Amino acid sequence: MSVETRTKRITAPEIASRKGATPIVALTAYTAPMAAMVDAHADVILVGDSLGMVIHGLSSTVGVTMEMMILHGQAVVRGSRRALVVIDMPFGSYEESPEQAFRNAARLMAETGAGAVKLEGGSRMAPTIRFLAERGIPVMGHVGLLPQATHTLGGFKTQGRDTESWPRHMQDAVDVAEAGAFAIVVEGVVEPLAIRMTEAVAVPTIGIGASARCDGQILVLDDMLGLSARVPRFVRTFADLGAQADRAIADYAAAVRERSFPDEANVYR
Ligand code: KIV
């Protein structure tokens, strides 16, 4: 069914079945109007915890809370009808134990209506992913550069520049897939490693700063629309909305100051 006519939501198993097929189109969204725009074109909408930095001005995703994720998750589900909505589990909501992860994942899904959760981590998180998947929670994995681990990684650093680390990264992807993740975000790894990971796992990889040979791609919406002040090298800006917004706001300010706004068309007689 075409992107335009389909009304039933895409499911996690449908995304899983896209391994090696047409690339999966994924983007983030945090609000209902943006979700509606993305929904018309994307297969997956991620309510990413990047919202902490993009929307709330935090310096990392570490300070994002369950309440923030739920509020934005509800808006995104309301604004979309077709794409699979995946919601990020925030830092501190799943690492302690599989039981803690289940409680919070179930809450995120029940209170927002999202179709899946995403959590960061490789082999270390495999038992948790298995625990959730066996209890009815579709899980998207996230390996490579892990933004929530910025404090231990010492910043947002491309992973796999040293080939000695490749076996560890490969094992992460394999363990996450074998634990039952329906897809895996591969973030910020050197391209040959991303290709090897994609070849090694039976579920789709969704790349960000990885490789065009992943099974799909994801970007932060504000970055690709040109709304972010600075973007990493792996982002292509498909529009320059930041500059357009700046011009529009400057024009509005000038019109107010010279009393040319509102004019005849904007007032009630
Ligand atoms: O939080 C987020 O937006 C993400 C994507 C960058 C994959 O995890």
Side-chain angles (χ1 to χ4, degrees):
M1 196 176 263
S2 79
V3 165
E4 291 74 23
T5 56
R6 181 182 168 126
T7 52
K8 214 167 143 287
R9 269 201 200 270
I10 295 172
T11 63
E14 283 177 82
I15 294 298
S17 73
R18 297 265 297 271
K19 178 76 190 174
T22 344
I24 297 159
V25 178
L27 276 171
T28 64
Y30 318 118
T31 63
M34 286 302 197
M37 277 194 243
V38 173
D39 194 53
H41 305 281
D43 305 305
V44 175
I45 304 178
L46 173 69
V47 189
D49 61 352
S50 50
L51 63 82
M53 299 166 81
V54 177
I55 301 281
H56 294 275
L58 298 174
S59 59
S60 79
T61 56
V62 170
V64 174
T65 63
M66 284 286 290
E67 285 63 36
M68 286 158 85
M69 295 310 301
I70 288 169
L71 202 63
H72 289 282
Q74 288 169 338
V76 167
V77 171
R78 271 187 227 119
S80 60
R81 311 183 281 128
R82 194 192 65 84
L84 172 67
V85 176
V86 180
I87 185 160
D88 254 341
M89 298 199 70
F91 179 68
S93 72
Y94 61 95
E95 299 89 336
E96 203 175 304
S97 66
E99 289 78 7
Q100 181 215 23
F102 180 81
R103 236 181 352 266
N104 285 320
R107 183 171 168 219
L108 285 174
M109 289 185 66
E111 293 189 25
T112 65
V117 300
K118 176 167 82 58
L119 57 84
E120 294 183 12
S123 309
R124 169 180 69 82
M125 291 314 301
T128 297
I129 293 171
R130 188 179 307 283
F131 191 88
L132 298 188
E134 284 174 351
R135 286 161 180 76
I137 299 192
V139 182
M140 181 178 276
H142 186 148
V143 300
L145 193 163
L146 306 178
Q148 291 178 4
T150 175
H151 292 301
T152 43
L153 291 175
F156 296 96
K157 291 191 179 143
T158 306
Q159 301 294 296
R161 288 203 188 279
D162 52 330
T163 46
E164 302 83 67
S165 70
W166 285 21
R168 175 171 54 82
H169 288 298
M170 290 294 294
Q171 198 59 51
D172 279 343
V174 168
D175 288 349
V176 165
E178 287 181 354
F182 70 91
I184 306 176
V185 167
V186 175
E187 177 165 1
V189 303
V190 293
E191 180 169 46
L193 177 58
I195 294 171
R196 283 195 192 197
M197 283 175 167
T198 300
E199 287 168 354
V201 297
V203 296
T205 57
I206 302 184
I208 172 163
S211 169
R213 285 178 44 197
C214 288
D215 300 293
Q217 301 296 323
I218 185 162
L219 282 176
V220 169
L221 182 65
D222 296 58
D223 289 351
M224 58 82 76
L225 290 180
L227 286 166
S228 304
R230 281 186 316 122
V231 293
R233 182 180 113 86
F234 63 74
V235 173
R236 183 187 296 172
T237 42
F238 287 81
D240 196 5
L241 299 194
Q244 284 187 33
D246 184 63
R247 268 196 302 279
I249 295 164
D251 289 351
Y252 165 76
V256 169
R257 289 189 182 114
E258 68 187 26
R259 295 190 192 281
S260 65
F261 174 82
D263 65 10
E264 277 303 302
N266 313 118
V267 294
Y268 299 102
R269 294 288 182 201

